[in-house]
Amino acid sequence: MSDVILYSGNAFSVADGKGRFVLPLEMRKLVKQASGDNRLCLSVHMDNGCATGFGLSHKQFLFDEVAELERLAREANRPFNGDLERENRLGTIEDVNFDDGGRFFLHHDIKEEAGITDAVFFYGVGRYFQIWKPEALVASPERPALIRNKVKRWIDARAAESGQ
């Protein structure tokens, strides 16, 4: 497993008849590299209202990061609740398998928290990628205009195809 995996790029996925989404090929390759197998870690972004995805190496990074914050707090004689911080960073992670075609099930609780129904937008942002309900990303003014406009065009094209 590599220590640093950086995700970039973006893609859309519409759930298949079984409710599975497809992890984009380049992200799938990086998750395999980060996990050593077809293991995908999923969670919810605490601030953005989207889901997140990454490999096992990032899960280890999150654990190590809390240990470092504990060490720094101890050295500065500051209070720090490492257990609570681990709960916030690691307690919401769901590990799932994806098949060789990249198909995976997004855990119901994560879908509910992120408002995801039948379509997602994958957005690589460094050590992890975000998984957005397309409409929520468009409504998020903090996201780059280029990305919001791309997603809006996709939503409009999808609506036109379905005759809405």
Side-chain angles (χ1 to χ4, degrees), residues 31-89:
V31 170
K32 281 184 175 186
Q33 183 181 346
S35 295
D37 60 11
N38 288 13
R39 201 82 176 137
L40 172 62
C41 302
L42 298 165
S43 189
V44 174
H45 196 288
M46 291 187 279
D47 299 320
N48 289 351
C50 64
T52 60
F54 45 87
L56 292 174
S57 65
H58 184 63
K59 191 176 185 179
Q60 183 65 50
F61 169 82
L62 293 172
F63 182 83
D64 294 344
E65 190 174 48
V66 174
E68 178 65 9
L69 292 172
E70 278 181 309
R71 185 188 68 73
L72 293 171
R74 207 172 26 257
E75 286 177 1
N77 204 23
R78 284 189 329 245
F80 182 80
N81 188 334
D83 288 337
L84 181 58
E85 193 63 28
R86 274 184 286 281
E87 283 179 34
N88 287 330
R89 293 179 186 229

Short mmCIF file of all heavy atoms in Angstrom, two decimals, residues 31-89:
data_model
loop_
_atom_site.label_atom_id
_atom_site.label_comp_id
_atom_site.label_asym_id
_atom_site.label_seq_id
_atom_site.Cartn_x
_atom_site.Cartn_y
_atom_site.Cartn_z
N VAL A 31 -8.05 3.52 -5.36
CA VAL A 31 -8.57 2.86 -4.16
C VAL A 31 -7.92 1.49 -4.02
O VAL A 31 -7.51 1.11 -2.92
CB VAL A 31 -10.12 2.75 -4.19
CG1 VAL A 31 -10.62 1.84 -3.08
CG2 VAL A 31 -10.76 4.12 -4.08
N LYS A 32 -7.80 0.75 -5.12
CA LYS A 32 -7.13 -0.56 -5.07
C LYS A 32 -5.69 -0.41 -4.60
O LYS A 32 -5.21 -1.19 -3.80
CB LYS A 32 -7.16 -1.24 -6.45
CG LYS A 32 -8.45 -1.88 -6.80
CD LYS A 32 -8.33 -2.61 -8.14
CE LYS A 32 -9.59 -3.36 -8.48
NZ LYS A 32 -9.44 -4.18 -9.68
N GLN A 33 -5.01 0.61 -5.10
CA GLN A 33 -3.63 0.86 -4.69
C GLN A 33 -3.57 1.22 -3.20
O GLN A 33 -2.69 0.75 -2.48
CB GLN A 33 -3.06 2.00 -5.53
CG GLN A 33 -1.60 2.32 -5.26
CD GLN A 33 -1.12 3.48 -6.12
OE1 GLN A 33 -1.75 3.88 -7.09
NE2 GLN A 33 0.03 4.02 -5.75
N ALA A 34 -4.50 2.02 -2.74
CA ALA A 34 -4.51 2.47 -1.34
C ALA A 34 -4.94 1.37 -0.38
O ALA A 34 -4.54 1.38 0.78
CB ALA A 34 -5.45 3.67 -1.19
N SER A 35 -5.76 0.44 -0.86
CA SER A 35 -6.29 -0.60 0.02
C SER A 35 -5.62 -1.95 -0.17
O SER A 35 -5.73 -2.82 0.69
CB SER A 35 -7.80 -0.76 -0.22
OG SER A 35 -8.50 0.40 0.15
N GLY A 36 -4.99 -2.15 -1.31
CA GLY A 36 -4.40 -3.45 -1.60
C GLY A 36 -5.41 -4.44 -2.14
O GLY A 36 -5.06 -5.56 -2.46
N ASP A 37 -6.66 -4.01 -2.27
CA ASP A 37 -7.73 -4.85 -2.80
C ASP A 37 -8.92 -3.98 -3.18
O ASP A 37 -8.78 -2.77 -3.30
CB ASP A 37 -8.13 -5.95 -1.80
CG ASP A 37 -8.64 -5.40 -0.48
OD1 ASP A 37 -8.89 -4.18 -0.37
OD2 ASP A 37 -8.79 -6.19 0.47
N ASN A 38 -10.09 -4.58 -3.33
CA ASN A 38 -11.30 -3.86 -3.74
C ASN A 38 -12.08 -3.36 -2.53
O ASN A 38 -13.29 -3.50 -2.46
CB ASN A 38 -12.19 -4.77 -4.58
CG ASN A 38 -11.62 -5.01 -5.96
OD1 ASN A 38 -10.46 -4.72 -6.21
ND2 ASN A 38 -12.42 -5.56 -6.84
N ARG A 39 -11.40 -2.77 -1.57
CA ARG A 39 -12.01 -2.27 -0.34
C ARG A 39 -12.11 -0.75 -0.42
O ARG A 39 -11.11 -0.04 -0.56
CB ARG A 39 -11.16 -2.67 0.85
CG ARG A 39 -11.88 -2.66 2.13
CD ARG A 39 -12.66 -3.97 2.23
NE ARG A 39 -13.30 -4.01 3.52
CZ ARG A 39 -14.52 -4.42 3.70
NH1 ARG A 39 -15.22 -4.84 2.68
NH2 ARG A 39 -15.05 -4.44 4.88
N LEU A 40 -13.34 -0.24 -0.33
CA LEU A 40 -13.62 1.19 -0.39
C LEU A 40 -14.15 1.64 0.97
O LEU A 40 -15.05 1.01 1.53
CB LEU A 40 -14.67 1.45 -1.48
CG LEU A 40 -15.26 2.85 -1.60
CD1 LEU A 40 -14.18 3.88 -1.93
CD2 LEU A 40 -16.35 2.85 -2.67
N CYS A 41 -13.60 2.72 1.50
CA CYS A 41 -14.07 3.31 2.74
C CYS A 41 -14.97 4.48 2.39
O CYS A 41 -14.62 5.32 1.57
CB CYS A 41 -12.90 3.80 3.60
SG CYS A 41 -11.71 2.52 4.02
N LEU A 42 -16.14 4.53 3.02
CA LEU A 42 -17.12 5.57 2.77
C LEU A 42 -17.50 6.25 4.07
O LEU A 42 -17.60 5.61 5.11
CB LEU A 42 -18.38 4.98 2.13
CG LEU A 42 -18.19 4.31 0.78
CD1 LEU A 42 -19.40 3.46 0.43
CD2 LEU A 42 -17.93 5.36 -0.30
N SER A 43 -17.75 7.55 4.00
CA SER A 43 -18.19 8.29 5.17
C SER A 43 -18.96 9.51 4.71
O SER A 43 -19.27 9.64 3.53
CB SER A 43 -16.98 8.69 6.03
OG SER A 43 -17.41 9.22 7.27
N VAL A 44 -19.24 10.40 5.65
CA VAL A 44 -19.93 11.65 5.35
C VAL A 44 -19.00 12.80 5.71
O VAL A 44 -18.36 12.77 6.77
CB VAL A 44 -21.26 11.75 6.14
CG1 VAL A 44 -21.91 13.10 5.95
CG2 VAL A 44 -22.21 10.64 5.73
N HIS A 45 -18.91 13.78 4.84
CA HIS A 45 -18.09 14.96 5.12
C HIS A 45 -18.78 15.77 6.21
O HIS A 45 -19.96 16.09 6.11
CB HIS A 45 -17.93 15.79 3.85
CG HIS A 45 -16.83 16.78 3.93
ND1 HIS A 45 -16.93 17.92 4.70
CD2 HIS A 45 -15.61 16.81 3.35
CE1 HIS A 45 -15.82 18.62 4.58
NE2 HIS A 45 -14.99 17.97 3.77
N MET A 46 -18.05 16.09 7.27
CA MET A 46 -18.65 16.77 8.41
C MET A 46 -19.15 18.17 8.08
O MET A 46 -20.04 18.67 8.74
CB MET A 46 -17.67 16.82 9.58
CG MET A 46 -17.39 15.46 10.19
SD MET A 46 -16.40 15.54 11.69
CE MET A 46 -14.76 15.70 11.01
N ASP A 47 -18.58 18.82 7.07
CA ASP A 47 -18.94 20.21 6.77
C ASP A 47 -19.69 20.42 5.46
O ASP A 47 -20.48 21.35 5.35
CB ASP A 47 -17.67 21.08 6.74
CG ASP A 47 -16.94 21.09 8.07
OD1 ASP A 47 -17.61 21.13 9.12
OD2 ASP A 47 -15.70 21.03 8.05
N ASN A 48 -19.45 19.58 4.45
CA ASN A 48 -19.95 19.85 3.11
C ASN A 48 -21.30 19.25 2.76
O ASN A 48 -21.86 19.57 1.73
CB ASN A 48 -18.93 19.38 2.06
CG ASN A 48 -17.71 20.24 2.04
OD1 ASN A 48 -17.65 21.29 2.66
ND2 ASN A 48 -16.70 19.81 1.30
N GLY A 49 -21.80 18.30 3.54
CA GLY A 49 -23.07 17.68 3.20
C GLY A 49 -22.99 16.68 2.06
O GLY A 49 -23.98 16.44 1.37
N CYS A 50 -21.82 16.11 1.85
CA CYS A 50 -21.65 15.08 0.82
C CYS A 50 -21.04 13.85 1.49
O CYS A 50 -20.63 13.90 2.64
CB CYS A 50 -20.74 15.58 -0.30
SG CYS A 50 -19.04 15.93 0.20
N ALA A 51 -20.98 12.77 0.74
CA ALA A 51 -20.29 11.57 1.21
C ALA A 51 -18.82 11.67 0.78
O ALA A 51 -18.47 12.50 -0.07
CB ALA A 51 -20.93 10.32 0.61
N THR A 52 -17.98 10.86 1.38
CA THR A 52 -16.58 10.80 0.99
C THR A 52 -16.18 9.34 0.75
O THR A 52 -16.78 8.43 1.32
CB THR A 52 -15.66 11.40 2.07
OG1 THR A 52 -15.82 10.69 3.30
CG2 THR A 52 -15.95 12.87 2.29
N GLY A 53 -15.17 9.16 -0.07
CA GLY A 53 -14.64 7.84 -0.35
C GLY A 53 -13.13 7.87 -0.40
O GLY A 53 -12.54 8.90 -0.78
N PHE A 54 -12.51 6.75 -0.02
CA PHE A 54 -11.05 6.65 0.01
C PHE A 54 -10.66 5.21 0.27
O PHE A 54 -11.50 4.37 0.58
CB PHE A 54 -10.44 7.58 1.07
CG PHE A 54 -11.14 7.55 2.40
CD1 PHE A 54 -10.81 6.62 3.37
CD2 PHE A 54 -12.16 8.46 2.67
CE1 PHE A 54 -11.46 6.60 4.59
CE2 PHE A 54 -12.82 8.43 3.89
CZ PHE A 54 -12.48 7.50 4.86
N GLY A 55 -9.37 4.94 0.18
CA GLY A 55 -8.85 3.62 0.46
C GLY A 55 -8.37 3.51 1.90
O GLY A 55 -8.38 4.47 2.67
N LEU A 56 -7.92 2.32 2.26
CA LEU A 56 -7.50 2.04 3.63
C LEU A 56 -6.32 2.89 4.09
O LEU A 56 -6.19 3.19 5.27
CB LEU A 56 -7.16 0.56 3.80
CG LEU A 56 -8.35 -0.41 3.68
CD1 LEU A 56 -7.85 -1.85 3.71
CD2 LEU A 56 -9.37 -0.15 4.78
N SER A 57 -5.45 3.31 3.17
CA SER A 57 -4.29 4.12 3.58
C SER A 57 -4.75 5.46 4.17
O SER A 57 -4.13 5.97 5.11
CB SER A 57 -3.32 4.35 2.42
OG SER A 57 -3.90 5.13 1.40
N HIS A 58 -5.84 6.02 3.66
CA HIS A 58 -6.33 7.29 4.21
C HIS A 58 -6.98 7.06 5.58
O HIS A 58 -6.88 7.92 6.46
CB HIS A 58 -7.32 7.97 3.26
CG HIS A 58 -7.77 9.32 3.75
ND1 HIS A 58 -6.91 10.37 3.92
CD2 HIS A 58 -8.99 9.76 4.12
CE1 HIS A 58 -7.57 11.42 4.37
NE2 HIS A 58 -8.85 11.08 4.51
N LYS A 59 -7.59 5.92 5.75
CA LYS A 59 -8.16 5.57 7.07
C LYS A 59 -7.03 5.55 8.11
O LYS A 59 -7.16 6.10 9.20
CB LYS A 59 -8.86 4.21 6.98
CG LYS A 59 -9.68 3.84 8.16
CD LYS A 59 -10.37 2.50 7.83
CE LYS A 59 -11.32 2.04 8.87
NZ LYS A 59 -11.96 0.77 8.51
N GLN A 60 -5.91 4.95 7.76
CA GLN A 60 -4.75 4.93 8.65
C GLN A 60 -4.21 6.34 8.87
O GLN A 60 -3.84 6.71 9.98
CB GLN A 60 -3.65 4.04 8.07
CG GLN A 60 -2.43 3.91 8.98
CD GLN A 60 -2.76 3.21 10.29
OE1 GLN A 60 -3.37 2.15 10.31
NE2 GLN A 60 -2.37 3.81 11.41
N PHE A 61 -4.20 7.15 7.82
CA PHE A 61 -3.76 8.55 7.94
C PHE A 61 -4.63 9.29 8.96
O PHE A 61 -4.10 10.06 9.79
CB PHE A 61 -3.83 9.25 6.58
CG PHE A 61 -3.66 10.73 6.64
CD1 PHE A 61 -2.40 11.31 6.73
CD2 PHE A 61 -4.77 11.58 6.63
CE1 PHE A 61 -2.24 12.69 6.80
CE2 PHE A 61 -4.62 12.95 6.71
CZ PHE A 61 -3.36 13.51 6.78
N LEU A 62 -5.94 9.10 8.92
CA LEU A 62 -6.84 9.77 9.86
C LEU A 62 -6.52 9.37 11.30
O LEU A 62 -6.49 10.21 12.20
CB LEU A 62 -8.30 9.46 9.53
CG LEU A 62 -8.82 10.02 8.21
CD1 LEU A 62 -10.21 9.47 7.92
CD2 LEU A 62 -8.81 11.54 8.22
N PHE A 63 -6.26 8.09 11.51
CA PHE A 63 -5.89 7.60 12.85
C PHE A 63 -4.57 8.23 13.30
O PHE A 63 -4.46 8.73 14.42
CB PHE A 63 -5.78 6.08 12.84
CG PHE A 63 -5.45 5.51 14.18
CD1 PHE A 63 -6.43 5.28 15.12
CD2 PHE A 63 -4.13 5.21 14.52
CE1 PHE A 63 -6.12 4.78 16.38
CE2 PHE A 63 -3.81 4.71 15.76
CZ PHE A 63 -4.81 4.49 16.70
N ASP A 64 -3.59 8.21 12.42
CA ASP A 64 -2.28 8.78 12.75
C ASP A 64 -2.36 10.28 13.00
O ASP A 64 -1.66 10.82 13.87
CB ASP A 64 -1.27 8.50 11.63
CG ASP A 64 -0.96 7.02 11.47
OD1 ASP A 64 -1.26 6.23 12.40
OD2 ASP A 64 -0.42 6.65 10.41
N GLU A 65 -3.22 10.96 12.26
CA GLU A 65 -3.38 12.40 12.44
C GLU A 65 -3.92 12.72 13.85
O GLU A 65 -3.45 13.67 14.49
CB GLU A 65 -4.32 12.94 11.37
CG GLU A 65 -4.38 14.45 11.29
CD GLU A 65 -5.20 14.92 10.11
OE1 GLU A 65 -6.33 14.42 9.92
OE2 GLU A 65 -4.72 15.80 9.39
N VAL A 66 -4.86 11.94 14.33
CA VAL A 66 -5.37 12.15 15.69
C VAL A 66 -4.27 11.89 16.71
O VAL A 66 -4.14 12.64 17.68
CB VAL A 66 -6.61 11.26 15.96
CG1 VAL A 66 -7.05 11.37 17.43
CG2 VAL A 66 -7.76 11.65 15.04
N ALA A 67 -3.47 10.87 16.50
CA ALA A 67 -2.36 10.60 17.42
C ALA A 67 -1.40 11.79 17.47
O ALA A 67 -0.92 12.17 18.54
CB ALA A 67 -1.62 9.33 17.01
N GLU A 68 -1.14 12.40 16.32
CA GLU A 68 -0.27 13.58 16.28
C GLU A 68 -0.90 14.77 16.99
O GLU A 68 -0.22 15.50 17.71
CB GLU A 68 0.07 13.92 14.82
CG GLU A 68 0.93 15.15 14.65
CD GLU A 68 2.34 15.02 15.22
OE1 GLU A 68 2.76 13.91 15.64
OE2 GLU A 68 3.03 16.05 15.27
N LEU A 69 -2.19 14.97 16.81
CA LEU A 69 -2.88 16.05 17.51
C LEU A 69 -2.85 15.84 19.02
O LEU A 69 -2.66 16.80 19.78
CB LEU A 69 -4.34 16.16 17.03
CG LEU A 69 -4.53 16.65 15.59
CD1 LEU A 69 -5.99 16.52 15.18
CD2 LEU A 69 -4.04 18.08 15.43
N GLU A 70 -2.98 14.58 19.45
CA GLU A 70 -2.87 14.26 20.87
C GLU A 70 -1.48 14.61 21.40
O GLU A 70 -1.33 15.20 22.46
CB GLU A 70 -3.12 12.76 21.11
CG GLU A 70 -4.56 12.38 21.18
CD GLU A 70 -4.75 10.89 21.45
OE1 GLU A 70 -4.14 10.07 20.72
OE2 GLU A 70 -5.50 10.57 22.37
N ARG A 71 -0.47 14.23 20.63
CA ARG A 71 0.91 14.50 21.04
C ARG A 71 1.15 16.01 21.16
O ARG A 71 1.72 16.48 22.15
CB ARG A 71 1.89 13.89 20.04
CG ARG A 71 3.36 14.01 20.43
CD ARG A 71 4.30 13.56 19.33
NE ARG A 71 4.30 14.41 18.17
CZ ARG A 71 4.85 15.64 18.11
NH1 ARG A 71 5.46 16.14 19.16
NH2 ARG A 71 4.80 16.35 17.00
N LEU A 72 0.72 16.77 20.17
CA LEU A 72 0.91 18.22 20.19
C LEU A 72 0.17 18.87 21.36
O LEU A 72 0.70 19.78 22.00
CB LEU A 72 0.45 18.83 18.86
CG LEU A 72 1.28 18.47 17.64
CD1 LEU A 72 0.60 18.97 16.36
CD2 LEU A 72 2.69 19.02 17.76
N ALA A 73 -1.04 18.40 21.65
CA ALA A 73 -1.80 18.94 22.78
C ALA A 73 -1.09 18.64 24.09
O ALA A 73 -1.01 19.50 24.98
CB ALA A 73 -3.22 18.37 22.78
N ARG A 74 -0.58 17.42 24.21
CA ARG A 74 0.15 17.04 25.42
C ARG A 74 1.38 17.92 25.62
O ARG A 74 1.63 18.43 26.71
CB ARG A 74 0.54 15.55 25.33
CG ARG A 74 0.70 14.85 26.63
CD ARG A 74 0.90 13.32 26.52
NE ARG A 74 1.48 12.80 25.30
CZ ARG A 74 0.78 12.20 24.32
NH1 ARG A 74 -0.51 12.05 24.43
NH2 ARG A 74 1.39 11.73 23.26
N GLU A 75 2.15 18.12 24.54
CA GLU A 75 3.35 18.96 24.62
C GLU A 75 3.02 20.41 24.98
O GLU A 75 3.80 21.07 25.66
CB GLU A 75 4.11 18.92 23.29
CG GLU A 75 4.83 17.63 23.05
CD GLU A 75 5.52 17.59 21.69
OE1 GLU A 75 5.44 18.59 20.92
OE2 GLU A 75 6.12 16.54 21.38
N ALA A 76 1.88 20.91 24.52
CA ALA A 76 1.48 22.28 24.79
C ALA A 76 0.66 22.39 26.08
O ALA A 76 0.19 23.47 26.41
CB ALA A 76 0.69 22.84 23.62
N ASN A 77 0.48 21.26 26.75
CA ASN A 77 -0.31 21.21 27.98
C ASN A 77 -1.73 21.75 27.76
O ASN A 77 -2.27 22.47 28.58
CB ASN A 77 0.40 21.97 29.11
CG ASN A 77 -0.05 21.47 30.46
OD1 ASN A 77 -0.53 20.35 30.60
ND2 ASN A 77 0.11 22.31 31.47
N ARG A 78 -2.32 21.37 26.59
CA ARG A 78 -3.69 21.75 26.25
C ARG A 78 -4.58 20.53 26.36
O ARG A 78 -4.16 19.41 26.06
CB ARG A 78 -3.75 22.23 24.80
CG ARG A 78 -3.23 23.60 24.52
CD ARG A 78 -3.56 24.00 23.08
NE ARG A 78 -3.59 22.84 22.19
CZ ARG A 78 -2.74 22.63 21.18
NH1 ARG A 78 -1.82 23.49 20.91
NH2 ARG A 78 -2.84 21.56 20.44
N PRO A 79 -5.84 20.74 26.74
CA PRO A 79 -6.77 19.60 26.76
C PRO A 79 -7.08 19.14 25.34
O PRO A 79 -7.14 19.95 24.41
CB PRO A 79 -8.02 20.16 27.45
CG PRO A 79 -7.91 21.65 27.33
CD PRO A 79 -6.45 21.98 27.19
N PHE A 80 -7.24 17.85 25.17
CA PHE A 80 -7.59 17.28 23.87
C PHE A 80 -8.25 15.94 24.11
O PHE A 80 -7.71 15.09 24.81
CB PHE A 80 -6.35 17.11 22.99
CG PHE A 80 -6.65 16.57 21.62
CD1 PHE A 80 -7.12 17.41 20.63
CD2 PHE A 80 -6.46 15.23 21.31
CE1 PHE A 80 -7.41 16.93 19.35
CE2 PHE A 80 -6.73 14.74 20.05
CZ PHE A 80 -7.21 15.60 19.07
N ASN A 81 -9.41 15.73 23.55
CA ASN A 81 -10.14 14.48 23.70
C ASN A 81 -9.90 13.61 22.47
O ASN A 81 -10.64 13.69 21.49
CB ASN A 81 -11.63 14.76 23.92
CG ASN A 81 -12.40 13.51 24.27
OD1 ASN A 81 -12.01 12.40 23.92
ND2 ASN A 81 -13.51 13.68 24.97
N GLY A 82 -8.86 12.80 22.52
CA GLY A 82 -8.51 11.94 21.40
C GLY A 82 -9.58 10.92 21.07
O GLY A 82 -9.82 10.63 19.89
N ASP A 83 -10.24 10.39 22.09
CA ASP A 83 -11.31 9.42 21.83
C ASP A 83 -12.45 10.04 21.04
O ASP A 83 -12.95 9.46 20.07
CB ASP A 83 -11.84 8.84 23.15
CG ASP A 83 -10.86 7.89 23.81
OD1 ASP A 83 -9.99 7.35 23.10
OD2 ASP A 83 -10.97 7.71 25.03
N LEU A 84 -12.84 11.25 21.42
CA LEU A 84 -13.91 11.94 20.71
C LEU A 84 -13.49 12.27 19.28
O LEU A 84 -14.27 12.11 18.34
CB LEU A 84 -14.33 13.21 21.45
CG LEU A 84 -15.46 14.00 20.82
CD1 LEU A 84 -16.72 13.15 20.68
CD2 LEU A 84 -15.75 15.25 21.65
N GLU A 85 -12.25 12.69 19.12
CA GLU A 85 -11.76 13.01 17.77
C GLU A 85 -11.71 11.77 16.89
O GLU A 85 -12.05 11.82 15.70
CB GLU A 85 -10.38 13.66 17.86
CG GLU A 85 -9.92 14.30 16.58
CD GLU A 85 -10.80 15.46 16.11
OE1 GLU A 85 -11.43 16.14 16.93
OE2 GLU A 85 -10.85 15.67 14.88
N ARG A 86 -11.32 10.62 17.45
CA ARG A 86 -11.34 9.37 16.68
C ARG A 86 -12.77 8.98 16.32
O ARG A 86 -13.03 8.50 15.22
CB ARG A 86 -10.64 8.25 17.45
CG ARG A 86 -9.13 8.22 17.24
CD ARG A 86 -8.47 7.04 17.93
NE ARG A 86 -8.39 7.24 19.36
CZ ARG A 86 -7.49 8.00 19.98
NH1 ARG A 86 -6.57 8.62 19.28
NH2 ARG A 86 -7.49 8.12 21.28
N GLU A 87 -13.71 9.19 17.25
CA GLU A 87 -15.13 8.92 16.93
C GLU A 87 -15.57 9.75 15.74
O GLU A 87 -16.23 9.23 14.83
CB GLU A 87 -16.02 9.27 18.13
CG GLU A 87 -15.99 8.28 19.25
CD GLU A 87 -16.89 8.72 20.40
OE1 GLU A 87 -17.94 9.35 20.15
OE2 GLU A 87 -16.53 8.44 21.55
N ASN A 88 -15.24 11.04 15.75
CA ASN A 88 -15.66 11.94 14.68
C ASN A 88 -15.02 11.57 13.34
O ASN A 88 -15.66 11.65 12.30
CB ASN A 88 -15.30 13.39 15.02
CG ASN A 88 -16.20 13.96 16.09
OD1 ASN A 88 -17.36 13.58 16.21
ND2 ASN A 88 -15.67 14.87 16.88
N ARG A 89 -13.76 11.18 13.36
CA ARG A 89 -13.06 10.90 12.11
C ARG A 89 -13.21 9.46 11.62
O ARG A 89 -13.22 9.22 10.42
CB ARG A 89 -11.57 11.21 12.26
CG ARG A 89 -11.30 12.68 12.46
CD ARG A 89 -9.84 12.92 12.64
NE ARG A 89 -9.59 14.31 12.97
CZ ARG A 89 -8.69 15.05 12.37
NH1 ARG A 89 -7.94 14.55 11.42
NH2 ARG A 89 -8.51 16.30 12.74
#
